[in-house]
Amino acid sequence: ILSTAAAKSIGKIHFDDEDSISGLNGRVKKLYTADNVDVIFAGLRDPFRQVLVMDMNALSKSDGTEVSGIIGLDTLQMLIMDIDYRDGLVHLTFDPNHGTNVYRR
C-alpha cells in the first residue's frame, strides 16, 4: 500500500471503488490504485501491476515521521530478514520458496 503523496510522485492514481480496506478504525473511505509501480526497498526491486493507494497522513502524524507505504505479508513472507542489532541494520534476502507453507487466504 502506498501513500497518496508517494503514488502521485511516481505517476497517476485512479479512484478504486472495487477494493476495500478495513482496520481498527473502520473502513478506508477513499481508496485509489496506481498502475505499474516498481517498489524498491532494502536493495530489492518488486514490480507490481497495480498497487493500492490511501491517505496515510494520520498515520504519519501519529508516528512522527512520514509513512510512504506499508509492505504486506505477501511480500514479506518471501524474504529472509537478518537483523544486526549492534549496528542497527536490517538485511533482506529474496527467496521465492521461502514462506510457501504460510497460510494464505
Side-chain angles (χ1 to χ4, degrees):
I1 301 172
L2 289 178
S3 70
T4 52
K8 285 180 181 178
S9 72
I10 59 173
K12 293 182 180 181
I13 63 173
H14 316 283
F15 183 72
D16 187 342
D17 58 353
E18 294 179 19
D19 295 310
S20 67
I21 296 177
S22 297
L24 294 174
N25 292 332
R27 188 169 182 228
V28 176
K29 294 178 183 175
K30 294 182 181 177
L31 191 61
Y32 304 91
T33 57
D35 299 327
N36 302 320
V37 175
D38 285 342
V39 175
I40 301 170
F41 64 97
L44 300 172
R45 178 178 172 265
D46 199 356
F48 291 96
R49 279 191 43 225
Q50 219 174 35
V51 175
L52 292 175
V53 178
M54 63 182 247
D55 182 14
M56 294 192 189
N57 286 331
L59 181 61
S60 295
K61 188 175 181 180
S62 68
D63 285 348
T65 187
E66 183 177 346
V67 177
S68 295
I70 300 171
I71 302 167
L73 182 60
D74 288 347
T75 299
L76 290 175
Q77 70 183 5
M78 292 186 289
L79 303 175
I80 298 170
M81 182 183 299
D82 296 307
I83 302 172
D84 181 349
Y85 291 101
R86 184 189 70 204
D87 296 329
L89 301 172
V90 176
H91 182 263
L92 300 172
T93 306
F94 173 72
D95 181 355
N97 298 316
H98 190 77
T100 55
N101 295 332
V102 174
Y103 169 78
R104 290 178 185 247
R105 286 195 260 163

